Amino acid sequence: MEQLPNEILEKIICLLPVKCVLRLRCVSKSWLAIISSPYFVKLHLKRSVQTKSNLRLFRWRYDLFQVDFNSLYEGNDLQMVKVDSIPLMFRKYGLVPNCSCDGLLCMSTICVIQNVLLCNPSPRRYYGPNCSVDGLYCMPKVRAIENVFLWNPSTRKSIKLPYASIEIANQSDRLNAYVYCCYRIGYDNNNDDYKVVRIVILISYHLDIIIDYEIKVYSLRSNFWHRPEKFSHCPNWISFGNIIVGRALHWISTVKSDLKRESLIVAFDFGTEKYRVLPQPEYSSPHFDLYLDNFGGCLSLSCKYESSIVDVFLLKEYGKKNEHWSRLITLSPTTTSEIYHPVTPIAYSKCGKKVWLHMGRMRLVLYNLEQKLVEENTVDGKRELTSPLHTCFESLVSIDVPVAPMVTWEVV
């Protein structure tokens, strides 16, 4: 029997879900070569992004659960399914999803805020006792964050990132402070490389002000951490969402002076590792709180005003000359009885006339764009969530690195 040309096979196999594609590797050596090629991996991922297929919603609730995004269109209650392929080491270290990119989940400790008590008179370092802040359990040691993994749930492969020290924790003149640690993963198109950015912020425990911060970047291609140049102003740690858009990481930096307080929208390019400040949308009034996130490949900005009204903007034509902000929705006490900030859009409904909103990491609701009303929704029969949601594509992206000490695990 004559075999179809590889170009035709690629187009046909590319239409299938990831699990089916993985099974087809056993058909023949030629099929294995096709499916394993970097070209096909990118082709399959590109189609998934364009068609919104193979998209999953993950949630951590004492375990990892997922739901097919297609089921978001099938009713008012989402039934999440437990993920059984979690490596045992993730449970051992208490790792949870932190962010995702192209099917790769960055897993880190649930304890992202750690209390750090530094003792200045002695060269020895002491760490404060365990405590909890906003529901996050504080850890007694900064080294607890060394357990960071990249994991592809589809291929069931994971790697542990090498340890990277936190230098600002060694500043012995900083007393009674706590550390906020944030990881984000993105793709460097210039070097065909996936990079993990770690931002560590040192915050005064009593004054609740940012003392200092540091940024480090891990390269999957080189399997090393390095420290790029810092932006001149510290990131606002409460503005962090899934903020990878246009091959760049984004955050809010607050600049204070005697006369005014200004918020900057900062972009860190994964390829050049340079910074740029993005333009601001036209706000309705002086804003109270800002939050950035990713909505279908667009940078979204949630703005809460002192009047409790919330505007959600989208940045259109990202990186182009006509780059501009467009207002997507406006929430007020007349549209819904309760508004939890931040308000982050997740996905359009199948008809395109409604938007799924994640409100304050506590509720998942539908917003009707035509009627400008909020429709209530439940997850596993409950109205309020006890853990945040993460979106992730199923993909064939490899996490192999050409370094001997790196250990790769596969869950059977």
Side-chain angles (χ1 to χ4, degrees):
M1 182 178 176
E2 187 176 352
Q3 182 174 321
L4 292 172
N6 288 351
E7 294 79 7
I8 304 298
L9 277 176
E10 289 170 345
K11 292 181 180 179
I12 295 175
I13 301 175
C14 190
L15 302 175
L16 300 175
V18 173
K19 288 185 179 180
C20 295
V21 174
L22 292 174
R23 293 192 188 102
L24 293 178
R25 294 180 300 178
C26 302
V27 172
S28 66
K29 290 184 178 180
S30 61
W31 282 42
L32 174 61
I34 292 174
I35 294 171
S36 304
S37 69
Y39 171 78
F40 179 80
V41 171
K42 293 180 181 179
L43 183 67
H44 189 275
L45 177 63
K46 182 179 180 180
R47 182 188 177 277
S48 297
V49 173
Q50 290 176 343
T51 61
K52 306 301 179 185
S53 58
N54 299 311
L55 188 58
R56 298 291 182 267
L57 190 66
F58 285 91
R59 176 192 179 197
W60 182 267
R61 190 189 60 187
Y62 308 110
D63 221 319
L64 189 62
F65 295 81
Q66 70 172 359
V67 62
D68 189 332
F69 243 68
N70 290 329
S71 67
L72 287 175
Y73 314 128
E74 295 177 356
N76 294 325
D77 183 60
L78 295 180
Q79 297 295 325
M80 306 200 79
V81 180
K82 183 178 177 180
V83 178
D84 295 324
S85 59
I86 303 178
L88 291 177
M89 70 194 73
F90 289 6
R91 303 180 192 275
K92 175 183 176 181
Y93 295 138
L95 305 182
V96 299
N98 199 288
C99 55
S100 70
C101 176
D102 294 349
L104 302 182
L105 281 172
C106 182
M107 307 289 291
S108 62
T109 172
I110 194 173
C111 318
V112 292
I113 297 181
Q114 299 148 23
N115 194 27
V116 182
L117 184 60
L118 303 178
C119 184
N120 191 28
S122 169
R124 297 176 61 184
R125 303 293 197 276
Y126 295 90
Y127 296 91
N130 293 349
C131 64
S132 65
V133 179
D134 294 338
L136 298 176
Y137 199 67
C138 298
M139 296 296 290
K141 294 183 179 181
V142 176
R143 285 187 61 88
I145 68 167
E146 67 181 279
N147 295 316
V148 183
F149 287 75
L150 288 184
W151 176 42
N152 187 328
S154 301
T155 62
R156 300 186 178 187
K157 288 189 176 182
S158 64
I159 59 169
K160 183 178 180 181
L161 273 58
Y163 173 70
S165 62
I166 299 179
E167 276 123 35
I168 59 173
N170 296 323
Q171 300 178 31
S172 57
D173 58 328
R174 311 299 195 194
L175 300 177
N176 199 15
Y178 66 92
V179 169
Y180 175 81
C181 184
C182 170
Y183 292 90
R184 292 295 180 266
I185 179 174
Y187 179 66
D188 174 5
N189 190 53
N190 294 351
N191 301 295
D192 189 23
D193 188 16
Y194 285 94
K195 293 181 176 179
V196 176
V197 176
R198 189 189 73 185
I199 298 178
V200 179
I201 302 174
L202 191 66
I203 306 172
S204 170
Y205 191 74
H206 293 300
L207 301 177
D208 199 26
I209 60 174
I210 297 176
I211 300 173
D212 198 1
Y213 89 101
E214 72 174 35
I215 179 172
K216 287 190 175 182
V217 178
Y218 167 80
S219 165
L220 182 61
R221 179 176 287 274
S222 66
N223 192 35
F224 284 107
W225 290 91
H226 66 275
R227 187 167 58 180
E229 182 182 353
K230 288 170 56 175
F231 187 66
S232 54
H233 301 285
C234 294
N236 181 356
W237 64 274
I238 61 174
S239 69
F240 281 57
N242 181 20
I243 41 182
I244 308 299
V245 175
R247 309 306 183 189
L249 169 69
H250 303 80
W251 67 72
I252 303 291
S253 285
T254 303
V255 181
K256 297 180 181 179
S257 65
D258 296 336
L259 300 178
K260 64 178 182 177
R261 173 180 172 176
E262 182 182 7
S263 295
L264 304 178
I265 304 176
V266 182
F268 172 77
D269 189 281
F270 277 100
T272 63
E273 298 192 354
K274 301 296 183 181
Y275 301 91
R276 76 179 180 109
V277 177
L278 302 184
Q280 301 271 348
E282 294 184 6
Y283 302 110
S284 301
S285 63
H287 56 264
F288 177 75
D289 200 3
L290 297 176
Y291 190 85
L292 293 170
D293 214 288
N294 183 333
F295 175 52
C298 288
L299 185 66
S300 70
L301 174 66
S302 175
C303 174
K304 182 180 180 181
Y305 303 106
E306 294 182 356
S307 61
S308 296
I309 294 176
V310 174
D311 277 336
V312 177
F313 300 91
L314 297 181
L315 185 59
K316 301 294 185 67
E317 302 296 329
Y318 184 93
K320 300 179 181 178
K321 290 184 178 180
N322 55 342
E323 179 180 73
H324 65 281
W325 290 96
S326 174
R327 184 180 283 103
L328 176 66
I329 62 173
T330 298
L331 293 177
S332 67
T334 59
T335 57
T336 179
S337 57
E338 298 173 293
I339 301 178
Y340 298 96
H341 196 260
V343 178
T344 56
I346 296 179
Y348 284 105
S349 65
K350 196 169 185 178
C351 65
K353 298 180 180 179
K354 299 178 181 180
V355 177
W356 285 95
L357 300 177
H358 193 196
M359 296 182 62
R361 306 182 187 91
M362 297 178 63
R363 293 169 59 195
L364 185 65
V365 300
L366 264 175
Y367 179 81
N368 192 309
L369 295 171
E370 293 182 339
Q371 300 178 5
K372 301 185 184 305
L373 293 175
V374 171
E375 301 174 7
E376 297 296 336
N377 189 77
T378 57
V379 178
D380 293 332
K382 297 181 180 180
R383 183 168 173 263
E384 295 198 355
L385 302 171
T386 56
S387 56
L389 300 171
H390 302 271
T391 57
C392 182
F393 281 100
E394 288 189 330
S395 80
L396 302 166
V397 172
S398 171
I399 50 176
D400 296 328
V401 292
V403 180
M406 179 62 65
V407 180
T408 303
W409 293 269
E410 182 168 359
V411 179
V412 180

